[in-house]
């Protein structure tokens, strides 16, 4: 049944904002409440044209705050929980407390409010394939595979998945978990590999490729991910986990993705700067079995080469969006992490 009211957390971030834009387009009547604290990664400009909509409300608040959350869950038919600390490099830089706090405790606060105030709603926990850890080729973990997270980020996301599934079993809540592979597309904060490499290439800045670039990620267009999430919300079964991934064939290494970016931007390969030691515990390969979500009728639409090309075009045409970020507080992280100025 179509929801009347949806509570989205983290809707000013990269994936949450795409989800809100898509939901709004699908059903202009649905009421959307976006609970987002606006950390460094949140940006209301990711929701152009939506802020003034009478059926949209942004609450600047913290998912860890019981009172705030209690005031918002009461009328939600769906609760879709994106809000998180999401960058692996920040979690390995010695400040992992924020990851445990937001990702694990924040998830608990939200679920506990649902349990008490809105137990009939549908709750979707937005998870990651990183919880399966480093996956040796040619393995493809399915939803029952053991969790073996490598970084404080992925460990905190595994903790959040466990809390969510425990609430389904213990309290009989209608909770589901999705576990998606690496997303890319418009409005992605330029700390992540693809937007960082694209924007650096556009500015002829060094491209910091870690550890030889042989690592594999199963890149998925953010729109394909959000389509999968809507399908899970519409058709998924309570208590179930759904992997979501492109299953790229052939699998693409970071170096191959970098070469695609160089080709699309026309930048020189001499910009590649090989860096070592910036990603301790670096996972070499992620991959997931996606038969379960495909059985629901989902398949990714975007081809990786076309997807990278259109993503490059978006960043080239929306310089103002990322130049503001790269010249703001992000500079401090960049300089501390990469040991050189961001521009
Ligand atoms: P993001 O970092 O772009 O956005 C996170 C959003 O959450 C921001 O708007 C931020 O302001 C908000 N937020 C952070 N802490 C908060 C708090 N305490 N209370 C309220 N809001 C808070 O992240 P993203 O890349 O859009 O990822 C969204 C979700 O999807 C995360 O849960 C992440 O683990 C998961 N995920 C991401 C990917 C990926 O490739 N980016 C892949 C699979 C799963
Ligand atoms: O798999 C899903 C996950 O994908 C999500 O859960 C995370 O929120 C999201 O950040 C992403 O995690 P990754 O660590 O895989 O993404 P990131 O873009 O940080 O790195 C992708 C690859 O690129 C990884 O092998 C490290 C490499 N890399 C990254 C950066 C930032 C570089 O070579 N240089 C860089 O500067």
């Amino acid at each position: 049944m179509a929801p009347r009211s949806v509570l989205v957390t983290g809707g000013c971030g990269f994936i949450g904002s795409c989800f809100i834009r898509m939901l709004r387009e699908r059903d202009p009547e649905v009421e959307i409440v976006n609970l987002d604290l606006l950390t460094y990664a949140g940006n209301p400009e990711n929701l152009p044209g939506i802020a003034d909509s009478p059926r949209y409300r942004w609450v600047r608040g913290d998912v860890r705050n019981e009172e705030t959350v209690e005031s918002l869950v009461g009328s939600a038919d769906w609760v879709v929980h994106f809000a998180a600390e999401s960058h692996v490099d920040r979690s390995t830089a010695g400040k992992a407390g924020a990851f445990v706090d937001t990702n694990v405790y924040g998830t608990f606060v939200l679920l506990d409010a649902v349990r008490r105030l809105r137990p009939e709603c549908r709750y979707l926990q937005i998870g990651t394939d990183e919880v399966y850890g480093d996956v040796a080729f040619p393995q493809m973990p399915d939803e029952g595979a053991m969790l073996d997270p490598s970084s404080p980020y992925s460990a905190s996301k595994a903790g959040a998945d466990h809390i969510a599934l425990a609430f389904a079993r213990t309290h009989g809540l209608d909770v589901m978990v999705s576990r998606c592979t690496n997303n890319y597309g418009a409005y992605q904060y330029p700390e992540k590999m693809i937007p960082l490499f694209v924007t650096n290439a556009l500015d002829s800045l060094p491209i910091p490729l870690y550890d030889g670039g042989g690592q594999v990620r199963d890149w998925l267009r953010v729109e394909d991910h959000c389509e999968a999430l809507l399908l899970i919300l519409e058709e998924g079964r309570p208590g179930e986990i759904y992997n979501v991934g492109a299953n790229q064939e052939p699998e693409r290494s970071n170096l191959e993705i970098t070469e695609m970016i160089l080709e699309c931007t026309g930048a020189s390969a001499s910009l590649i700067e090989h860096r070592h030691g910036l990603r301790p515990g670096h996972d070499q390969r992620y991959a997931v079995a996606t038969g379960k979500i495909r059985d629901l009728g989902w398949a990714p639409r975007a081809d990786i080469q076309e997807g990278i090309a259109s993503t490059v075009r978006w960043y080239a045409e929306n310089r103002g969006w990322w130049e503001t970020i790269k010249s703001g507080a992000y500079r401090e992280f960049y300089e501390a992490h990469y040991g050189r100025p961001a521009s």
Side-chain angles (χ1 to χ4, degrees):
M1 201 172 64
R4 279 176 298 105
S5 176
V6 179
L7 173 61
V8 175
T9 72
C12 294
F14 166 49
I15 308 174
S17 64
C18 179
F19 180 82
I20 289 179
R21 295 192 303 272
M22 194 175 275
L23 185 62
R24 159 69 63 235
E25 206 177 295
R26 286 253 187 113
D27 182 0
E29 295 303 311
V30 71
E31 184 184 308
I32 301 171
V33 177
N34 173 14
L35 170 61
D36 195 300
L37 186 58
L38 226 56
T39 65
Y40 77 93
N43 187 348
E45 287 179 26
N46 296 357
L47 292 161
I50 289 187
D52 297 333
S53 156
R55 292 191 183 77
Y56 169 80
R57 182 159 69 102
W58 167 40
V59 176
R60 185 169 189 178
D62 195 327
V63 76
R64 294 166 294 184
N65 184 304
E66 257 179 55
E67 252 175 63
T68 306
V69 171
E70 281 169 2
S71 71
L72 300 176
V73 295
S75 58
D77 297 317
W78 290 352
V79 174
V80 192
H81 182 34
F82 292 93
E85 289 293 335
S86 70
H87 191 37
V88 172
D89 286 345
R90 290 181 192 252
S91 83
T92 60
K95 294 209 171 149
F99 287 74
V100 178
D101 213 23
T102 291
N103 300 358
V104 183
Y105 182 66
T107 297
F108 162 74
V109 170
L110 188 58
L111 278 157
D112 202 49
V114 166
R115 174 183 70 81
R116 287 177 285 112
L117 302 169
R118 192 66 173 168
E120 65 274 40
C121 81
R122 197 130 248 229
Y123 176 102
L124 179 55
Q125 175 69 22
I126 308 301
T128 167
D129 68 337
E130 289 200 20
V131 295
Y132 299 119
D134 207 340
V135 179
F137 182 82
Q139 289 167 29
M140 307 284 265
D142 67 17
E143 290 81 353
M146 195 183 80
L147 304 193
D148 191 15
S150 308
S151 70
Y153 161 70
S154 50
S156 71
K157 291 296 290 184
D161 286 8
H162 284 309
I163 302 264
L165 293 167
F167 269 69
R169 168 115 184 195
T170 303
H171 302 298
L173 297 185
D174 182 0
V175 166
M176 297 171 298
V177 173
S178 63
R179 290 186 181 145
C180 189
T181 59
N182 287 61
N183 284 214
Y184 69 99
Y187 299 107
Q188 185 168 28
Y189 195 87
E191 65 189 352
K192 306 285 165 52
M193 185 189 101
I194 287 183
L196 174 64
F197 286 12
V198 169
T199 55
N200 278 16
L202 288 170
D203 277 351
S204 299
L205 291 171
I207 292 175
L209 185 65
Y210 297 168
D211 305 324
Q215 299 72 26
V216 165
R217 299 291 184 267
D218 185 26
W219 298 100
L220 183 72
R221 266 297 281 260
V222 65
E223 289 82 4
D224 281 327
H225 181 194
C226 291
E227 294 272 4
L229 298 178
L230 283 168
L231 185 63
I232 293 168
L233 284 156
E234 282 156 4
E235 310 275 342
R237 289 193 309 276
E240 295 289 325
I241 303 164
Y242 294 89
N243 287 344
V244 182
N247 297 136
Q248 296 287 346
E249 275 187 32
E251 293 187 346
R252 307 289 188 162
S253 69
N254 291 344
L255 178 59
E256 287 170 297
I257 299 290
T258 307
E259 284 163 349
M260 287 182 206
I261 291 170
L262 292 174
E263 196 184 321
C264 294
T265 51
S268 162
S270 64
L271 288 180
I272 296 178
E273 183 177 62
H274 286 282
R275 303 294 303 264
H276 296 272
L278 293 185
R279 173 74 57 115
H282 197 172
D283 284 333
Q284 297 300 300
R285 176 177 176 263
Y286 296 144
V288 284
T290 59
K292 201 163 157 183
I293 181 79
R294 287 171 193 263
D295 284 348
L296 285 185
W298 175 86
R301 293 169 205 245
D303 159 77
I304 183 76
Q305 272 168 330
E306 198 288 313
I308 294 287
S310 60
T311 299
V312 167
R313 276 197 300 278
W314 189 87
Y315 286 90
E317 287 163 8
N318 290 274
R319 272 187 166 269
W321 182 86
W322 54 267
E323 280 177 349
T324 308
I325 294 171
K326 286 183 110 175
S327 60
Y330 177 54
R331 292 177 72 89
E332 285 165 36
F333 170 78
Y334 197 98
E335 285 182 32
H337 186 66
Y338 294 103
R340 58 159 70 240
S343 56

